[in-house]
Amino acid sequence: MAIVTIIGGQWGDEGKGKIIDHLAKNADLVARYSGGNNAGHTIENDYGKFALHLVPCGVGWEGTINLIGSGTVIDPDVLIDELELISKNSLPGEIFISEKAHMIMPYHIKLDQAEENDRGSEAVGTTGRGIGPAYSDKISRNGIRIGDLKDIDLLQKKISKNLNFKNKILREIYETEEISEKEIFEKIDNWQNKLSKYIANTEQIIHRNIEEKKFILLEGAQGALLDIDHGTYPFVTSSNTVASAAATGSGCGPNSINYVLGITKAYSTRVGEGPFPTELTDKVGKELGERGKEFGTVTSRKRRCGWFDGVLVRQTIKISGINGIALTKLDVLDELEEIKMCIAYEIKGKKINYLPASTDEQLNIKPCLLY
Ligand code: IMP
């Protein structure tokens, strides 16, 4: 029996999907525990090649249980499309969605875009999928959960109350179009019809599998440097992406997790804005991007590229209690004349070996490179 948490050790896109897909072959259960359709991975198996955003990688393997845990945020339309693709192609894994997972509503998507526009030159560069506003509602206790689909009357009341307030913000603060209640209400029946059979108390399922000493994978999304507490705040996502989130977002006890596997690229990439100490804006950075096919899976944006940052990965190892690392994309470096890596930082003449918290300091880091 083993429970393994798999996390990204950098800013996401480290190749988690490939490694998890490989390990999932022998897993009994795979659970997603955070994030939403801001994540994306492609799995390839006997049934074809599939780009998934929410459903765990284990879905391609016979006899595997796939859970979308309470720590995730779910856009019901995106999940329905994904489930239809899975069913059309007869992917064999079983799927369950936590009744506690929060829903991304159309007003969250609209607010995400309005907030980003409003930030102007200080935009985070979000994926625009409504992730931040959905998590904000969860934390401020105004969220709507997947389990709310069980009672449509009550659900409509909750939506009306929220929408009233959100439309006021859209109209009066952001001076943009409102979302119509009718537009959301028209979708609810479809959400209920298509999702109800998957909704479950997923903690019970995971606990049963722990008791039966099954092999469980807890599938992380994004990367440790996008963590809301420990990442390059405010240029981060709105959830915890470090390994400890695996216990909260899946419902298994932290002491039941046996191993934390960190996935890191042999160089660094990030999509969106924010400090990136080892970024290369020269010919080498361009080459890494081209050879590594560094384009975002969700937004198709070009990923920024740079040298491997040992300071950040070392910090991630400590914060997430990483036991082992899978290093990906080493071959992308093959044709470079010189390979460099960052082993320490220098800020205003002072050497440090950790990521300082302030954006200003992060932007003033001079990486100490070994080559
Ligand atoms: P959000 O999660 O859409 O709010 O985006 C916040 C930040 O996280 C942005 O810089 C995104 O580009 C980044 N981000 C979110 N999800 C991913 C991912 O799966 N891979 C890489 N970057 C991501």
Side-chain angles (χ1 to χ4, degrees), residues 265-268 278 280 306-314 327 333 338-345 367-371:
K265 254 188 260 204
Y267 50 99
S268 309
T278 59
L280 291 164
W307 295 121
F308 182 86
D309 189 335
V311 177
L312 293 185
V313 173
R314 190 167 48 216
L327 190 68
L333 305 176
E338 209 170 38
I339 298 169
K340 300 183 185 178
M341 67 181 282
C342 173
I343 50 164
Y345 291 158
C368 306
L369 298 172
L370 185 75
Y371 49 98

Side-chain angles (χ1 to χ4, degrees), residues 252-321:
C252 69
N255 59 349
S256 57
I257 297 170
N258 311 97
Y259 195 91
V260 180
L261 177 65
I263 319 291
T264 64
K265 254 188 260 204
Y267 50 99
S268 309
T269 62
R270 95 170 281 179
V271 212
E273 303 307 317
F276 184 172
T278 59
E279 182 170 15
L280 291 164
T281 48
D282 59 2
K283 205 171 112 250
V284 182
K286 197 164 165 249
E287 207 176 316
L288 287 175
E290 279 162 12
R291 283 182 54 82
K293 300 191 179 63
E294 299 296 351
F295 292 92
T297 19
V298 176
T299 54
S300 307
R301 288 177 291 178
K302 231 184 204 175
R303 294 178 187 143
R304 299 154 63 193
C305 297
W307 295 121
F308 182 86
D309 189 335
V311 177
L312 293 185
V313 173
R314 190 167 48 216
Q315 183 161 310
T316 299
I317 289 171
K318 288 183 185 160
I319 290 176
S320 281

